[in-house]
Amino acid sequence: LSAGQEEAGRILLAGMISERLDQVGEVLGLVAASPATDRDEALLRVLSLLGKVGGTLPPAPLAALVVSGETDAMTVEAIRALSAFDSPETVEALRSLLPSSTWNVRLSVVHALAGIEDPSAANLLEAIASEDRSTVVREAAQSALEDVPDNA
C-alpha cells in the first residue's frame, strides 16, 4: 500500500472508532435513564463490556460515570472499564477519585493505573505510594511502581 492509502485507511478507522464510542455514550445514557432496579445491573454489564473494548481515548460518559458512581461497586466496575483506555484523560478521571474516603475505590485506582502506560500514571502512582492514608493502598502503589520499567 502507498503512504496515501495507509493514511486514508487510518482516517477511516479513526472515524469508525469515533462513531462506536459515540454509540457507547448513547448506550450509557440510556442505561442511566433506566429504572434504578434494572439500571445498576445493566450498567454493570455495559461497563464490563467497555473494559474489553479499550483504546486510547475513553468515552466521556464513562469518565463521568467513574467520577459520579452511585455506589462503590459501580465506581469500581467503572474504574475497571476505564483502565482499558490508555490516555492522560483516563489518568485525570482516576485522579479525581483519590480524595475518596473509601480505601477499596482508591485501591482500584491503583490497579487501574498499573496497567496504563501513559507517563502521568506512574507519576500519580508515586504520589499515592507516598501520600495515601491507607497502608494497603500505599503498598499496592509501590508494588505497581516496581513493575514499571523506568522505576525497577
Side-chain angles (χ1 to χ4, degrees), residues 7 12-13 15 18 22 25-26 31 39 57 62 67 76-77 82 88 92 94 106 116 137 149:
E7 182 62 23
L12 179 63
L13 183 59
S18 177
D22 288 343
E26 290 175 26
V31 168
R39 182 184 60 174
L57 185 63
L62 179 56
V67 174
V76 167
E77 192 60 42
L82 189 62
E92 285 310 307
L94 294 171
R106 295 192 318 274
I116 296 174
V137 175

Side-chain angles (χ1 to χ4, degrees), residues 32-127:
S34 300
T37 54
D38 299 334
R39 182 184 60 174
D40 289 352
E41 184 179 327
L43 191 51
L44 287 172
R45 278 188 274 167
V46 170
L47 291 173
S48 178
L49 291 172
L50 282 175
K52 296 175 184 172
V53 173
T56 57
L57 185 63
L62 179 56
L65 182 63
V66 167
V67 174
S68 66
E70 294 178 16
T71 65
D72 281 356
M74 191 77 65
T75 301
V76 167
E77 192 60 42
I79 290 168
R80 284 188 192 123
L82 189 62
S83 70
F85 298 88
D86 192 345
S87 72
E89 292 85 359
T90 298
V91 175
E92 285 310 307
L94 294 171
R95 179 188 310 272
S96 70
L97 294 170
L98 292 178
S100 169
S101 61
T102 310
W103 70 271
N104 63 324
V105 169
R106 295 192 318 274
L107 185 62
S108 293
V109 168
V110 167
H111 292 301
L113 289 169
I116 296 174
E117 294 180 9
D118 189 87
S120 59
N123 294 338
L124 187 51
L125 282 169
E126 289 174 0

